[in-house]
Amino acid sequence: MRQIVTFDAYGTLVDFQLGPTTLKLLADRLDLDRLNVDEFLDDFRIMRFHAVLEAYRPFRELLPASLEIAMRLHGLEYRQSDGEALVAAVPTFGPHPEVPAALRALKSRYEIAIISNTDDDLIAQNLANMGVEFDHVITAQQAKAYKPSRQTFEYAFQAMDIDPAQVIHVAQGWEYDLIPTRDLGLARRVWINRYGHNSSSGARGSADYQPFDELPDLSGLPALLGC
């Protein structure tokens, strides 16, 4: 039976250094000595999540708009160049160290695919950095919707011409991926809990959204899926 392993990209496969990159870009022109960094980055994360729940707009617009709100909440002067520089940095992010080998192992048995909250042109270089060819790449730009919307997943299944019961979804994002996929009838779901239960950047998870497997990274995924 045909099966596809679908992946969230940013955070799951790509080492999404958004927080450190944002701070580095802002520190080039702003004094951040008095900034509560953890609160600022948490607010930036929350603003991004709120933004994906609104009407669709390209990620290259959503990201700067979320940054602007977070900066204003913390009394920082926002400039258009801040958002532009952050968007330009996104394609430079490479994979987590274990990802390429895990993907190559999975390709021996499965089709592999991306379902990502991004624009086509932004993710192209991130995927090239992995050095592994994906059978399908589905973006929010194509679906005209962001995860956690069901529209994103339903578009992906239609585009891949696959029944959800033949899909194994693997993701780090709890709110974006694990919560909305509980009731989609997937074959299996795997939570890549890279950040543990005690980090502000991670999710605590919940038994209410079982069944799912939990791994700290992708290194154990091929064995889990029989490769």
Side-chain angles (χ1 to χ4, degrees), residues 26-45:
L26 296 182
D28 287 343
R29 70 172 187 85
L30 295 172
D31 181 2
L32 303 183
D33 288 345
R34 297 182 181 179
L35 179 68
N36 187 317
V37 169
D38 289 339
E39 286 188 5
F40 169 70
L41 293 180
D42 197 43
D43 285 336
F44 186 22
R45 177 185 61 81

Side-chain angles (χ1 to χ4, degrees), residues 13 26-27 42 45 53 68 117 140 164 168 182 192 197 215:
L13 304 180
L26 296 182
D42 197 43
R45 177 185 61 81
L53 302 178
E68 179 176 7
N117 280 355
I168 300 167
R182 180 185 63 178
I192 306 301
H197 300 293
L215 296 172

Side-chain angles (χ1 to χ4, degrees), residues 33-129:
D33 288 345
R34 297 182 181 179
L35 179 68
N36 187 317
V37 169
D38 289 339
E39 286 188 5
F40 169 70
L41 293 180
D42 197 43
D43 285 336
F44 186 22
R45 177 185 61 81
I46 292 169
M47 291 305 105
R48 297 197 306 276
F49 187 72
H50 285 178
V52 302
L53 302 178
E54 299 170 353
Y56 172 79
R57 54 179 161 170
F59 190 68
R60 61 174 58 255
E61 297 177 11
L62 181 153
L63 189 60
S66 302
L67 176 62
E68 179 176 7
I69 295 172
M71 289 179 66
R72 293 190 185 283
L73 283 173
H74 289 264
L76 300 174
E77 177 202 7
Y78 175 81
R79 293 181 182 176
Q80 183 177 340
S81 58
D82 299 328
E84 292 173 347
L86 189 57
V87 169
V90 170
T92 69
F93 300 149
H96 289 285
E98 83 286 359
V99 165
L103 293 176
R104 286 193 290 268
L106 289 165
K107 278 182 68 69
S108 68
R109 179 173 178 180
Y110 300 97
E111 294 177 45
I112 60 172
I114 292 288
I115 305 177
S116 180
N117 280 355
T118 190
D119 300 340
D120 292 344
D121 62 329
L122 289 180
I123 200 171
Q125 187 58 50
N126 298 126
L127 301 184
N129 293 341

